[in-house]
Amino acid sequence: MPGPASDSSPSGALVLSSWEAREVVYPIRHELKPPIARLSISWARGNSFRVSIFTQHPANHTSDSNDGEVGGQVLEVKIRNGDGEISAAEFRRIAYGSVSPFALLQSRKHMVSGLSKMSMGLPRFNPDGWEYLAEYSKDISSVIGNPKLIPSSAIEDPLEILKKVEEPTCLKAAWELMDVFYADKQSHWWLNERLVDWLAEYDSVLSTTQSTIHSKLVDFQKELNNLQVVEDNPRYWDVILSALAVGWQEIVVKMLRLHGSYQLDQLSRRETENGLVEAVAFLISEMPRMRPELDSGKFGQCFKTKPDFTKAWEKWRSKITKLDGSGFWVHCTHVQTRKGLQNMLRIILGDVESLSGATCNWMELYISQLLYVRPFSMGLESMYNLAEKCMQLKPASNTDRLMALIIGILGESPEIVLAECSRGFGPWMATHAMELLIEENDEAETLLHEERHDLGGVSIEELHRLVYAQVLCSHAFTWQIAPIYLTSCAKQGIGFLETLLYSQAVQHNGVLLKNLEICRLYELDSLSSNIMKIAGVYHWKHGRKGCGVFWLKQARDEVRLNKIAQQLFDSVGKSISDESFKQWEGLIELLGSESKNTGGLEFLHKYRDFKKSLHQVHQKGKTTGAAQSAVDSLIALMKNPSTPQRFWLPILNDSLKLIDWHGGPLLNTEQTNLLLNKLQELSMAKLRPDFVESDLPPLALSSIRLALAKNLGRAFLEGC
């Protein structure tokens, strides 16, 4: 399991340390001759190291020599994930596929928790909890994947003992093992048979670290085609005994039917021998099984109640005993067949020495003991003691992660099981397997939910989820699903989530929108606003002013929007080119006119309308209609209280041609007096110490006064 935090930060935040470091050796294959002078190691793209190897040339090395060693060699060493069994792409597929079952289970647990609080204070209100857990386990199992049959000929090969299927993964075997013991506790009455099925499917996984019955079958399959008389080969009977010991009846029966006595040319003179072989095959196919049903192609009789099974078992064993004491064995002249069949009967009758000789490791011996020595045991009663005895009879040569997990499960130690899940199969397994451990197990629930000071105040459950979320966050393709696990961590999940979202690149619009969607889903309004502010500032600084204003407006950042507005104010009263005017106009449009968001930008909108009217006057020529429209914009601008006083004079200076219009006065007496009053206010404002002079020519004010006086006189004469 992940190591505890070495120390807690002053703020109480958890500082995660990596899980137990294991020495990993990565071979470097180069073509350089010794001596090697030095190595340089650096990070390459993705999950790789770049290793530069430099050679040391001898002192008599000349420049014209051609030995193929110019100076060294550069190699890339890819770092494998775990044992290399699951590729990075496959891990991402599993990670994404397991999100939905995990989230659904958490939702159901919250719902049940709410119902429990409403149910008159009952300690546990979870009538369908085991069904939810069984569904969750089944969904996760399907995500990991099921071994598929490899396409073969339509005509069945009679010499084919094992079906050709894709090699199952150790992760799949581990999850199925957890499912057998924890997910569906309603099926514990046929636990022995479930273990038989598990071994039949995943014994090949154990073959990678130790000898197994599956590997014996594979080896024998290779030499079977070259055998003329299979019953004369000692390995034939050895493989049959091994398969029978672990309950693979269909393989045993199929191999018995390969016996030479079934051939038509030998049937007449080997009738007794064939009868004994067929009798044993028939009895094996009729073996009582304590299980609800059998898959197609499997042999045995199913019983769902212990009394019925006990009665059938005793009856079946009496037939075995009767056959074992039959006088037909004397007439069986083929020694290998007689000994082989009699050894099979000893296995069925539960002879411990025969079972030990037929199996290859303690797990197989354990399964054989459950089948033939303790067929009536149900559930986990005395299972660990039996496993210890089997380990003494068949000690393991090396420690296998799957075997270690089995020992932890049989020992009924949730802490050891979780530790083996984390150590052997990584953070994904530990995070998702915890849900199976705590169901209807008060000890495990207390262990995993108890807050620990040495872990920064978080529980073991939260710690493993945080570690797994960090693994997801470390890759660009999986960080999006990390929030599902972080939000399930009550103590520090939200803090880690904020750190994750702050670390994402805001320059990529897709990533930014994903961040905001995550904030919306988890109601992180403050974080969403901050991210939009960061995006706005980033785009503004990098010249994408439109994007910057858009995101700042979305964040309702009045401070920065007002600063941007102040920059736009600097263009008031100045000559702006057509291209610059379009950019300036677009920014004003983005800023909007709502004073509560943008600090009173109504002036800029009205000034924009005024400038557009002036542009139309210059583009269309001196038409009275366009000029009158510009005058209306001017008056609206000067009447508006949001127009800053420091811009009055520049605006009037821009309007000189309108005030002194050649075709007649465009401003009536009232409008002219309004503008004159504005000039009078400016004169009074000059007396204040904070007054700022406009950057205009010295005669600008006189020109404006003269134009207004002239327009006033013309307006009087025309009776305006």
Side-chain angles (χ1 to χ4, degrees):
M1 60 184 289
S6 58
D7 193 12
S8 299
S9 65
S11 61
L14 175 64
V15 181
L16 292 178
S17 63
S18 60
W19 47 89
E20 180 183 353
R22 284 169 287 176
E23 183 179 355
V24 181
V25 179
Y26 297 100
I28 299 177
R29 297 179 176 86
H30 59 86
E31 300 174 354
L32 301 177
K33 298 178 181 179
I36 302 298
R38 61 189 179 93
L39 295 176
S40 174
I41 303 175
S42 60
W43 281 106
R45 293 181 301 172
N47 210 27
S48 302
F49 279 125
R50 180 180 293 110
V51 181
S52 303
I53 307 172
F54 300 93
T55 58
Q56 182 177 0
H57 296 293
N60 59 356
H61 179 76
T62 59
S63 59
D64 58 347
S65 64
N66 185 19
D67 58 359
E69 298 183 11
V70 177
Q73 192 172 358
V74 178
L75 303 172
E76 279 198 2
V77 180
K78 186 174 179 61
I79 302 175
R80 300 185 297 271
N81 292 325
D83 57 359
E85 180 187 46
I86 298 178
S87 64
E90 181 67 9
F91 168 75
R92 292 195 295 271
R93 185 193 66 79
I94 293 174
Y96 270 93
S98 55
V99 167
S100 180
F102 178 84
L104 179 60
L105 182 64
Q106 299 307 311
S107 176
R108 286 173 168 173
K109 287 170 69 175
H110 288 313
M111 178 190 68
V112 169
S113 177
L115 291 175
S116 179
K117 293 177 181 179
M118 297 169 56
S119 59
M120 303 297 292
L122 293 177
R124 299 185 83 101
F125 182 78
N126 194 4
D128 299 323
W130 67 271
E131 292 183 0
Y132 293 158
L133 199 67
E135 181 182 346
Y136 164 77
S137 180
K138 187 182 298 182
D139 291 341
I140 294 292
S141 179
S142 63
V143 166
I144 300 175
N146 297 310
K148 299 178 181 178
L149 287 172
I150 298 176
S152 57
S153 175
I155 302 175
E156 183 179 0
D157 185 0
L159 298 180
E160 186 180 64
I161 301 173
L162 295 172
K163 293 182 179 179
K164 295 180 180 179
V165 297
E166 291 182 354
E167 190 72 18
T169 63
C170 195
L171 180 64
K172 174 72 172 179
W175 186 268
E176 288 298 322
L177 193 64
M178 296 288 290
D179 178 83
V180 168
F181 284 94
Y182 297 109
D184 189 2
K185 295 187 178 180
Q186 301 296 319
S187 301
H188 275 193
W189 62 273
W190 59 290
L191 182 61
N192 294 359
E193 287 287 339
R194 295 194 70 185
L195 288 174
V196 171
D197 293 344
W198 179 86
L199 186 68
E201 189 167 359
Y202 300 108
D203 197 40
S204 58
V205 177
L206 299 175
S207 302
T208 58
T209 58
Q210 53 199 305
S211 60
T212 61
I213 294 174
H214 180 272
S215 60
K216 289 172 65 174
L217 285 168
V218 171
D219 294 340
F220 183 73
Q221 178 75 72
K222 296 176 182 178
E223 62 180 84
L224 184 58
N225 292 327
N226 300 324
L227 296 178
Q228 298 295 326
V229 184
V230 292
E231 61 270 23
D232 289 344
N233 192 312
R235 293 199 61 192
Y236 169 74
W237 294 104
D238 181 45
V239 169
I240 288 180
L241 292 173
S242 296
L244 179 62
V246 291
W248 300 350
Q249 283 91 339
E250 62 281 358
I251 294 178
V252 174
V253 172
K254 188 170 186 177
M255 292 187 68
L256 285 176
R257 299 281 163 76
L258 298 177
H259 195 275
S261 64
Y262 282 95
Q263 297 181 13
L264 295 178
D265 59 340
Q266 299 187 32
L267 189 59
S268 58
R269 57 190 179 87
R270 302 177 68 177
E271 186 175 357
T272 302
E273 183 180 346
N274 179 257
L276 289 171
V277 173
E278 182 60 27
V280 173
F282 175 77
L283 287 172
I284 290 172
S285 64
E286 292 295 311
M287 177 180 175
R289 313 290 291 267
M290 186 71 171
R291 58 187 302 152
E293 60 183 0
L294 280 166
D295 295 335
S296 177
K298 302 285 186 179
F299 293 133
Q301 302 180 67
C302 297
F303 296 92
K304 297 183 180 180
T305 62
K306 189 172 183 178
D308 292 342
F309 173 72
T310 303
K311 185 177 179 180
W313 180 267
E314 296 296 339
K315 184 178 179 180
W316 180 71
R317 286 285 289 265
S318 66
K319 294 180 181 179
I320 300 293
T321 305
K322 184 178 180 180
L323 178 61
D324 189 34
S326 171
F328 289 103
W329 298 105
V330 179
H331 304 289
C332 182
T333 57
H334 194 270
V335 178
Q336 289 89 341
T337 299
R338 184 175 67 251
K339 288 184 177 180
L341 294 176
Q342 288 176 336
N343 287 334
M344 291 175 68
L345 295 182
R346 290 191 185 93
I347 284 179
I348 296 174
L349 292 172
D351 182 72
V352 176
E353 186 177 347
S354 299
L355 292 173
S356 180
T359 52
C360 299
N361 55 66
W362 74 262
M363 184 62 189
E364 293 172 348
L365 177 59
Y366 178 73
I367 299 295
S368 67
Q369 295 262 2
L370 292 178
L371 271 177
Y372 301 110
V373 180
R374 300 179 55 184
F376 306 120
S377 61
M378 298 176 65
L380 293 171
E381 55 185 54
S382 304
M383 273 195 160
Y384 185 70
N385 293 333
L386 178 61
E388 284 186 323
K389 293 178 181 179
C390 293
M391 283 186 277
Q392 292 174 1
L393 292 173
K394 291 278 186 180
S397 57
N398 55 358
T399 303
D400 179 83
R401 53 179 174 166
L402 202 53
M403 291 293 196
L405 178 61
I406 295 170
I407 294 172
I409 292 174
L410 295 177
E412 300 185 66
S413 174
E415 191 169 9
I416 293 178
V417 172
L418 186 59
E420 293 300 335
C421 285
S422 177
R423 184 183 65 85
F425 304 95
W428 178 91
M429 182 67 173
T431 300
H432 294 86
M434 281 189 298
E435 305 300 329
L436 305 180
L437 287 173
I438 62 178
E439 183 64 25
E440 298 182 6
N441 189 329
D442 294 335
E443 179 188 354
E445 189 170 3
T446 302
L447 171 71
L448 297 179
H449 290 168
E450 180 184 5
E451 295 180 1
R452 297 172 177 258
H453 177 71
D454 58 339
L455 297 181
V458 302
S459 63
I460 293 179
E461 179 184 56
E462 183 168 336
L463 172 65
H464 282 284
R465 289 178 181 174
L466 290 173
V467 171
Y468 177 58
Q470 283 189 318
V471 173
L472 296 175
C473 294
S474 65
H475 201 286
F477 291 158
T478 55
W479 73 265
Q480 298 93 332
I481 59 178
I484 301 291
Y485 298 89
L486 289 175
T487 51
S488 66
C489 301
K491 287 287 185 180
Q492 299 190 16
I494 297 300
F496 274 89
L497 178 57
E498 291 181 356
T499 303
L500 167 65
L501 296 182
Y502 276 134
S503 66
Q504 301 306 312
V506 295
Q507 64 266 33
H508 302 301
N509 196 48
V511 175
L512 178 58
L513 293 176
K514 182 66 178 179
N515 279 359
L516 298 178
E517 177 65 15
I518 291 172
C519 292
R520 185 190 65 80
L521 287 174
Y522 300 109
E523 301 178 352
L524 303 174
D525 297 333
S526 176
L527 178 60
S528 175
S529 177
N530 290 338
I531 290 175
M532 288 189 286
K533 289 178 184 178
I534 294 171
V537 171
Y538 177 87
H539 287 297
W540 181 268
K541 287 184 175 180
H542 287 78
R544 294 183 286 274
K545 298 185 181 298
C547 288
V549 171
F550 172 80
W551 287 116
L552 290 174
K553 187 177 178 183
Q554 292 293 315
R556 300 181 178 272
D557 189 350
E558 296 183 16
V559 175
R560 290 178 177 83
L561 287 173
N562 283 331
K563 289 183 178 179
I564 292 174
Q566 291 301 322
Q567 295 183 24
L568 297 179
F569 286 160
D570 295 340
S571 301
V572 174
K574 297 181 180 179
S575 177
I576 305 177
S577 64
D578 291 344
E579 187 65 29
S580 299
F581 179 76
K582 289 180 180 179
Q583 296 179 3
W584 184 80
E585 181 184 13
L587 288 175
I588 293 177
E589 191 67 32
L590 282 172
L591 283 171
S593 59
E594 300 86 351
S595 59
K596 63 180 181 180
N597 291 338
T598 55
L601 295 176
E602 185 181 1
F603 158 70
L604 286 177
H605 282 264
K606 291 187 178 297
Y607 183 73
R608 177 202 60 188
D609 296 338
F610 169 66
K611 293 292 287 185
K612 288 174 69 174
S613 300
L614 285 181
H615 274 278
Q616 290 178 359
V617 171
H618 293 300
Q619 290 175 359
K620 296 182 179 180
K622 297 184 179 182
T623 60
T624 303
Q628 188 61 55
S629 176
V631 167
D632 293 339
S633 297
L634 169 65
I635 297 302
L637 189 60
M638 297 302 290
K639 281 185 176 181
N640 197 305
S642 66
T643 303
Q645 194 179 59
R646 62 191 177 98
F647 296 133
W648 289 355
L649 198 59
I651 292 172
L652 291 174
N653 188 60
D654 287 344
S655 309
L656 276 174
K657 290 184 179 180
L658 297 176
I659 298 173
D660 190 16
W661 189 251
H662 68 92
L666 297 178
L667 288 84
N668 58 29
T669 305
E670 181 182 357
Q671 292 171 336
T672 307
N673 285 327
L674 171 68
L675 299 183
L676 286 171
N677 289 335
K678 294 291 184 183
L679 287 180
Q680 185 63 30
E681 289 182 32
L682 279 176
S683 299
M684 298 297 294
K686 288 182 178 181
L687 301 177
R688 296 199 304 266
D690 59 341
F691 180 79
V692 179
E693 288 283 353
S694 301
D695 187 15
L696 293 174
L699 299 177
L701 180 59
S702 301
S703 300
I704 294 171
R705 288 183 183 276
L706 181 61
L708 285 173
K710 183 178 179 181
N711 183 83
L712 183 62
R714 294 167 67 186
F716 274 128
L717 291 176
E718 295 188 9
C720 296

